[in-house]
Amino acid sequence: MSSKPVRRVDRVVIRFAGDSGDGMQLTGDRFTSETAALGNDLSTLPNFPAEIRAPQGTLPGVSSFQLHFADHDVLTPGDAPDVLVAMNPAALKANLADLPRGAMIIVNTDEFTKRNVAKVGYDVSPLEDDTLASWHVHAVGLTSITVSALADFDLSRKDKERAKNMFALGLLLWLYTRPTDGTEHFLKRKFADQPEILEANLAALRAGFNYGETTEDFAVTYEVAPAPMAPGTYRNITGNTALVYGLVSASHRTGLPIVLGSYPITPASDILHLLSSLKRHGVTTLQAEDEIAGVGAALGAAFGGAIGVTTTSGPGLALKSETIGLGVALELPLVVIDVQRGGPSTGLPTKTEQSDLLQAMFGRNGESPVAVVAPRSPGDCFDTAMEAVRIATTHRTPVLLLSDGYLANGSEPWRIPEVADLPDLQVDFATETNGVNDAGEPVFHPFLRDPETLARPWAVPGTAGLEHRIGGLEKADVTGNISYDPDNHDTMVRLRAEKIARIADRIPPLEVDDPDGDAEVLVLGWGSTYGPIAAATRLVRNTGAKVARAHLRHLNPMPANTGEVLRSYRRVIVPEMNLGQLALLLRAKFLVDVRGYNTVRGLPFKSVELADAIRETIAEPHDPTHPDTEVSR
């Protein structure tokens, strides 16, 4: 227990920033784990360069990790940090513009050499002039103090310096009244076979913690109480991890094995890595030679009676398009997970974006509709993965799941569900013939459809009497024979489209959060915009203004009441991390003049900026002569 005064605060946003080799992601992750263990609600935003190791001390090489934790519901990683831990001049300069006046800066003075300062464009060290006069600066020699604390260890100076992130972590854990137990256990596991390195990191962690207690530079510590949460067992989870657990849970509930055919690509690679460690749960993973082979293996697995899954990001989705089209023609269940990133081309591999929606909808030759779903938060990736499997297996169709880099790498507390509460995803395979030929003999008709869903039978290869043709050539209705007949092609195209449309009959209606039922402005989002939109509407309502919000998980088809909801509001705002892709679809489908709020900065929305845009829209005068201002309830 600290001997210094403790100040209770309701929320804090901390950003750790340093060179890509300074261990900022590990530091942030460990602080997050300790915070989750205390019961705070939280949200994180890792942000790192695409290069494995950018030039040391340069602006492009800055890596950061932002954490927002509170004693109440947390919706975003925070618009701006209350505390910046800057390990070098580059980290300071790259992040200073995001820091509100009066915020705290903990800066590693040892890295502010003349060379390092000049490397990022400072003429004079910002520690020596009035550059930082508007902030509360704690100048700490993180490197030199760490080296001194490890003086008795038989390690090189370079190895001792590497532990400075543990010193910084210890200091921040002390400052915000976090325990060190979890990190100590983590280090003991990580360095179990390197005892000298283990003891050095433990010593650095404890030295940082003790430095906060003994130095006069920090007069108080801070405390954030646990957040109220529903009873249950919680763990901190990233979106990619939640997708994996969702897929494995879907495998359990269907009774079918998971087969992942994939090629590593940022930011989706962690899905392949984690699934490959879960073979004991009926998981088979194949790291293919390229994106095309990966999706081909997944589709082949689906033909064989497994849950075929492939993972990728935008560039890989483009390569998979032909095989996804084959899945549409074959009408087989296939789950394609696209963890979106900035584009076009290679673009911004480690930054987030929502710019693959139109590619998911239309990026294939011919009329080849697929189902499209998108999770709203890291934890929701679990439920959305299960929903993707349900749709794919029930409706015999490829399903595209659109996550993004923000969800993939960000984390939040997630309540572990009871297995008995998971949806029943039982699959019925075809086991008998279902028709007769012209001679009256029993035969199998592979495209004889379920009257409700229009799904065709799923027959496992090798089932006696159920042999049938497969391939990309057009099929004859019912029989599945190759057909070039114009009328048959028209029929099959329309049947495949109608099959996707009927998915809307088995998804929940679009829910609207409109507390008083009299808001005139609706904010509609999809994917990872959920948190910023919810935070922004909360800010707007706190000022007395009225605004409604809704969020789409199902993007194709959309819930059956979507058009009715849109036409119930004078204005509809659609925030997207693209230039208006969902807005374009909504305008075309429902003839509603929705208004886009768009950024493509590789970062999530700032809720304050979005709140300002909502307030401006609410304040616009009502124009009864303009058709998009008519409100029908």
Side-chain angles (χ1 to χ4, degrees), residues 273-324:
H273 299 159
L274 183 52
L275 269 176
S276 66
S277 69
L278 298 176
K279 293 182 174 61
R280 63 188 182 279
H281 295 289
V283 175
T284 299
T285 56
L286 168 66
Q287 181 173 321
E289 64 267 29
D290 54 37
E291 296 281 4
I292 299 170
V295 68
L299 185 60
F303 174 64
I307 300 174
V309 182
T310 189
T311 55
T312 191
S313 189
L317 184 61
L319 293 169
K320 295 180 189 293
S321 61
E322 183 179 4
T323 303
I324 297 172

Side-chain angles (χ1 to χ4, degrees), residues 167 175 370 422 541 571:
F167 183 94
L175 187 61
V370 298
L422 297 177
R541 290 171 182 170
R571 274 290 187 191

Side-chain angles (χ1 to χ4, degrees), residues 196-216:
E196 190 77 5
I197 298 295
L198 167 62
E199 293 303 321
N201 277 280
L202 290 173
L205 178 71
R206 294 163 184 161
F209 194 93
N210 294 333
Y211 177 84
E213 181 65 24
T214 57
T215 183
E216 296 181 2

Side-chain angles (χ1 to χ4, degrees), residues 350-402:
T350 59
K351 311 302 179 183
T352 194
E353 208 162 279
Q354 288 183 300
S355 52
D356 293 350
L357 176 57
L358 294 182
Q359 181 181 198
M361 290 285 293
F362 307 117
R364 293 164 299 282
N365 63 293
E367 294 285 346
S368 52
V370 298
V372 182
V373 294
R376 70 185 192 183
S377 68
D380 188 53
C381 287
F382 175 89
D383 296 313
T384 307
M386 294 199 70
E387 175 68 353
V389 173
R390 182 194 71 81
I391 293 173
T393 55
T394 301
H395 299 273
R396 312 290 197 262
T397 178
V399 178
L400 267 68
L401 188 155
L402 297 179

Side-chain angles (χ1 to χ4, degrees), residues 442-472:
V443 294
F444 177 60
H445 288 152
F447 287 89
L448 183 67
R449 299 178 182 276
D450 180 286
E452 292 185 6
T453 65
L454 296 184
R456 80 174 185 91
W458 190 6
V460 175
T463 305
L466 304 190
E467 298 84 358
H468 59 283
R469 292 181 177 86
I470 63 167

Side-chain angles (χ1 to χ4, degrees), residues 372-627:
V372 182
V373 294
R376 70 185 192 183
S377 68
D380 188 53
C381 287
F382 175 89
D383 296 313
T384 307
M386 294 199 70
E387 175 68 353
V389 173
R390 182 194 71 81
I391 293 173
T393 55
T394 301
H395 299 273
R396 312 290 197 262
T397 178
V399 178
L400 267 68
L401 188 155
L402 297 179
S403 180
D404 61 46
Y406 168 34
L407 298 182
N409 297 314
S411 64
E412 66 177 356
W414 173 64
R415 186 170 66 167
I416 301 172
E418 298 292 334
V419 173
D421 295 334
L422 297 177
D424 182 5
L425 303 180
Q426 183 176 352
V427 173
D428 293 323
F429 288 110
T431 57
E432 299 176 345
T433 57
N434 57 5
V436 294
N437 59 18
D438 294 339
E441 300 167 336
V443 294
F444 177 60
H445 288 152
F447 287 89
L448 183 67
R449 299 178 182 276
D450 180 286
E452 292 185 6
T453 65
L454 296 184
R456 80 174 185 91
W458 190 6
V460 175
T463 305
L466 304 190
E467 298 84 358
H468 59 283
R469 292 181 177 86
I470 63 167
L473 293 174
E474 184 61 283
K475 316 293 183 297
D477 187 22
V478 181
T479 68
N481 295 331
I482 295 172
S483 174
Y484 296 99
D485 179 73
D487 291 336
N488 176 80
H489 178 57
D490 185 89
T491 296
M492 294 298 284
V493 166
R494 294 178 187 276
L495 280 172
R496 289 189 289 260
E498 176 63 18
K499 183 181 70 169
I500 298 300
R502 290 194 185 186
I503 295 172
D505 298 336
R506 298 193 175 199
I507 62 176
L510 180 62
E511 294 184 1
V512 180
D513 174 22
D514 187 353
D516 298 322
D518 57 355
E520 294 188 347
V521 173
L522 171 72
V523 186
L524 177 67
W526 70 277
S528 64
T529 60
Y530 175 83
I533 288 173
T537 54
R538 178 188 289 175
L539 292 173
V540 171
R541 290 171 182 170
N542 287 343
T543 64
K546 295 183 178 182
V547 61
R549 70 180 175 96
H551 203 78
L552 287 168
R553 168 185 280 176
H554 298 87
L555 296 160
N556 193 41
M558 296 179 191
N561 66 329
T562 302
E564 177 186 350
V565 168
L566 296 178
R567 286 186 285 269
S568 298
Y569 292 89
R570 176 171 62 87
R571 274 290 187 191
V572 179
I573 305 172
V574 180
E576 298 181 79
M577 291 185 289
N578 57 48
L579 295 183
Q581 297 189 15
L582 177 60
L584 178 69
L585 295 175
L586 295 174
R587 284 170 173 263
K589 186 173 181 63
F590 301 110
L591 302 181
V592 174
D593 188 19
V594 301
R595 175 178 297 183
Y597 179 82
N598 309 100
T599 71
V600 280
R601 301 176 59 245
L603 295 169
F605 284 109
K606 291 187 175 181
S607 55
V608 171
E609 295 176 357
L610 181 53
D612 289 342
I614 296 171
R615 291 191 193 97
E616 290 175 6
T617 302
I618 294 173
E620 289 178 356
H622 178 71
D623 180 4
T625 66
H626 198 284

Side-chain angles (χ1 to χ4, degrees), residues 250-257 307 425-427:
S251 172
H252 172 76
R253 299 300 279 177
T254 59
L256 303 180
I307 300 174
L425 303 180
Q426 183 176 352
V427 173

